[in-house]
Amino acid sequence: MAVSLSQSLIQTSLPISQGAEAASYLRSFSDSILKVYKAQLSPESPPILLKYRFKKHYRHPNLDLNLTRSRIAGEARALLKCLRSGVNVPGIRMVDATDGVLGIDWIDGQSVRKLLPGGTEDDGPDDPENQNDTQAGNYNDLKEYGVSVDGLMKMVGIEIAKMHRVDVIHGDLTTSNMMLRHPKSFSSSVTTLTTELVLIDFGLSYQSTLTEDKAVDLYVLERAFSSTHPDSEPMFTSVLAAYANTMGKDWPAIKNRLDDVRLRGRKRSMVG
Amino acid sequence: MESFRFNHNDNVAYALLFSPVNDPGKIKQRIIDAAKADDQDRDAVNFSFIEASLITSRLHLETAIHQAIIVESQGSLRTKTIHSEILFALNPTNNITEAIRRYGVSETSKSLIVVQITDSSASASDVETKMKAVVDGVVVSFRELATVTDWDRVKKYLKLDKEAKEKGDLARTQAFIDSVAISSVAMKSVMQ
Ligand SMILES: Nc1ncnc2c1ncn2[C@@H]1O[C@H](COP(=O)(O)OP(=O)(O)OP(=O)(O)O)[C@@H](O)[C@H]1O
Ligand SMILES: [Mg+2]
């Protein structure tokens, strides 16, 4: 069979992540593998990030294809919904669900994880964010972005609240799955912005109006904060304060539920 | 002449922007007649005739061309030709008739983008000559596209009236509409 269009696109692209492949191999359901590339569709167009999903073992080709297909479709739909609702996410540039390829706007910047204390530890040389560094100088210093840690935490809380207000549940909120846009990446037509927090990785997202699902989303992020960043408590408190402010009247119910979820989490860890 | 080339595919898309265009109704009639005529007549209008006021940027058009090329390469065109597929990709619903009515040439078109997707062997000047033979109008640079876009109509078709209000200044509102327009085209194949 001839090489498909997406396959030849991948061949012209720069792999940026063996690390993510290993990571997603470990944590994803079944044996789905994800490879990440930086690519350009045409000489004139802005760069994109390609997410290529495929199965390691083709036991049930049709079933595999449908799972991959629906996962990519789900990710694309969540991105479009967020985009339409003004939540900061990368725009979509191509979808080839048959071949397992999703192409989104390349975000010039750094993951929040790398910008916070403790976030640069434990990375192999293959880590995708290290690639960002080599391509674009030092993006690791929060000072370059003109925001304080507290300011950044507010941005995180606001963006998550905007997403929850339109009933999108992220499903994998971590500080790796949010990026800060570098000030130099803004075009001169929209100059009032210095930076912007962008939510990424909607591969596990879904739609829900349930308070429980929003509370669990926040709890997942709280756990990610405490396992990745030392002394994260005041940081997460700032996230929640900004989240509460943006959610308004919906916040008290979510807060109560978050307390329940925390309690369940603690009980579970005591049982072991 | 504007050309669109992709790093991973041998097709080239040539495009001309006509603004203003005279007698669009005649062009439309010619396309309708060609469908019933012989190969030679059909070849003369073997283009995508696009309502230019609904295109928000060069990247928007490029994304629709790319989408049509992907779908054709997979043998899963939803419309008759790769050229009508561009119109289908631009419309945010699955209604083919509506796509052609909205995004194709109509009696009221003031500006048109004419596109031909071909393999790299076709010469740009031949394509240009053929396009100019069909369309009576003034060829302008693609930079003029910005002055042609009818943002209110794009907003209406994308159902973004409410969302666009919150954006504040004009540049930001247009950047927002453009990005939703591009993303909608790019995800066409998995649209609900
Ligand atoms: N739009 C983007 N621009 C630049 N870099 C990106 C972009 N999206 C993702 N990345 C980088 O690639 C890494 C992997 O992407 P992503 O988080 O979407 O997938 P994942 O976590 O590996 O997989 P999964 O979807 O299976 O959870 C990110 O941590 C980030 O460093
Ligand atoms: Mg991730």
Side-chain angles (χ1 to χ4, degrees), chain A residues 62 144 151 159 195 251 267:
Chain A
N62 288 329
E144 285 216 11
E159 228 46 47
T195 185
W251 167 243
K267 276 188 191 144

Side-chain angles (χ1 to χ4, degrees), chain A residues 47-49 89-91 104-110 132 139 179-182 185 196 198 200:
Chain A
I48 64 173
L49 178 106
V89 298
I104 57 180
D105 285 330
W106 177 263
I107 308 294
D108 232 345
Q110 187 54 281
N132 285 5
Y139 277 14
M179 296 184 72
L180 209 49
R181 242 187 241 280
H182 197 272
S185 71
E196 193 175 73
V198 183
I200 61 166

Side-chain angles (χ1 to χ4, degrees), chain B residues 43 50 58 74 79 82 85 96 98 100 118 125 131 137-138 151:
Chain B
D43 187 57
I50 303 166
R58 190 186 188 281
Q74 294 174 334
T79 60
I82 194 168
E85 200 72 14
I96 295 172
E98 181 187 77
I100 290 168
T118 125
S125 64
M131 286 178 177
V138 182
W151 293 96

Side-chain angles (χ1 to χ4, degrees), chain B residues 48-110:
Chain B
S48 191
F49 295 90
I50 303 166
E51 173 61 55
S53 65
L54 295 178
I55 301 301
T56 54
S57 61
R58 190 186 188 281
L59 187 56
H60 183 211
L61 179 61
E62 181 184 302
T63 307
I65 292 169
H66 188 239
Q67 173 63 21
I69 292 175
I70 296 179
V71 172
E72 147 135 318
S73 76
Q74 294 174 334
S76 43
L77 287 177
R78 295 284 304 271
T79 60
K80 283 208 188 91
T81 70
I82 194 168
H83 292 123
S84 47
E85 200 72 14
I86 297 177
L87 304 178
F88 180 70
L90 286 166
N91 192 35
T93 77
N94 277 320
N95 185 329
I96 295 172
T97 317
E98 181 187 77
I100 290 168
R101 181 161 36 79
R102 285 179 174 178
Y103 290 84
V105 56
S106 72
E107 280 83 7
T108 56
S109 298
K110 293 194 179 69

Side-chain angles (χ1 to χ4, degrees), chain A residues 3-9 41 48 50 69 92-103, chain B residues 6 8-9 11 62-78 82 85-86 89 117 185-189:
Chain A
V3 175
S4 77
L5 189 127
S6 290
Q7 290 295 338
S8 42
L9 174 60
L41 293 176
I48 64 173
L50 277 184
R69 208 191 136 80
I92 308 163
R93 297 277 301 283
M94 73 168 284
V95 179
D96 179 353
T98 311
D99 267 349
V101 172
L102 173 69
Chain B
F6 299 95
H8 51 287
N9 181 268
N11 287 311
E62 181 184 302
T63 307
I65 292 169
H66 188 239
Q67 173 63 21
I69 292 175
I70 296 179
V71 172
E72 147 135 318
S73 76
Q74 294 174 334
S76 43
L77 287 177
R78 295 284 304 271
I82 194 168
E85 200 72 14
I86 297 177
I117 303 178
V185 171
M187 60 119 28
K188 180 74 190 188
S189 61

Side-chain angles (χ1 to χ4, degrees), chain A residues 20 24 27 34 36 49 51 53 71 90 104-107 128-129 172 176-177 179 200-201 203:
Chain A
S24 64
R27 80 198 157 82
L34 175 79
V36 188
L49 178 106
K51 294 178 81 169
R53 279 183 202 287
R71 195 140 180 231
I104 57 180
D105 285 330
W106 177 263
I107 308 294
E129 282 125 335
D172 190 18
S176 304
N177 287 338
M179 296 184 72
I200 61 166
D201 195 359

Side-chain angles (χ1 to χ4, degrees), chain A residues 9 12-13 38-48, chain B residues 6-8:
Chain A
L9 174 60
T12 69
S13 305
K38 185 173 186 176
Q40 214 176 354
L41 293 176
S42 71
E44 294 87 16
S45 63
I48 64 173
Chain B
F6 299 95
N7 296 339
H8 51 287

